[in-house]
Amino acid sequence: EDLSNTLREKRLPHKRIQASVKALATSETAADRLLEKAEAALIAEFTVPGKSAIEFAAWNKLFRLLERITDSADHCGRHILSISRKET
């Protein structure tokens, strides 16, 4: 939210944007690690006979959606940073 609010300012605060983008990148990396652990746990849970393939697919799809969201946030931050660099 902080990063998107900077777009309303007349002049983009490059240093503040840079710090926000760095925090976004750190969060995205942490989300990637969390996804890896969640996927491993999901596979372990659903390799047991009798588990629902539909439930597995639903959880897997949710994890993939969350991954795309964090990736998109990271990409948006990088674009805003690029804009702020061109403005200075």
Side-chain angles (χ1 to χ4, degrees), residues 5-6 12 18 22 24 27 31-32 37 40 47 53 63 68 73:
N5 287 336
T6 62
L12 295 176
Q18 198 171 28
K22 186 175 180 179
L24 260 177
S27 295
D32 285 345
K37 290 178 183 177
T47 54
F63 291 155
R68 285 200 325 254

Side-chain angles (χ1 to χ4, degrees), residues 8-70:
R8 295 182 187 143
E9 297 179 23
K10 247 185 180 178
R11 198 116 170 101
L12 295 176
H14 180 72
K15 292 287 183 189
R16 203 167 82 213
I17 290 172
Q18 198 171 28
S20 294
V21 169
K22 186 175 180 179
L24 260 177
T26 300
S27 295
E28 198 275 332
T29 300
D32 285 345
R33 288 188 192 119
L34 186 59
L35 174 66
E36 288 173 13
K37 290 178 183 177
E39 286 178 329
L42 185 67
I43 290 168
E45 181 180 344
F46 282 90
T47 54
V48 176
K51 285 292 201 169
S52 169
I54 294 172
E55 187 178 354
F56 173 85
W59 278 110
N60 190 49
K61 189 171 184 174
L62 175 64
F63 291 155
R64 293 286 155 211
L65 177 62
L66 293 172
E67 166 66 10
R68 285 200 325 254
I69 290 168
T70 58

Side-chain angles (χ1 to χ4, degrees), residues 1-8 80:
E1 186 177 323
D2 179 52
L3 191 55
S4 62
N5 287 336
T6 62
L7 294 175
R8 295 182 187 143
I80 293 170

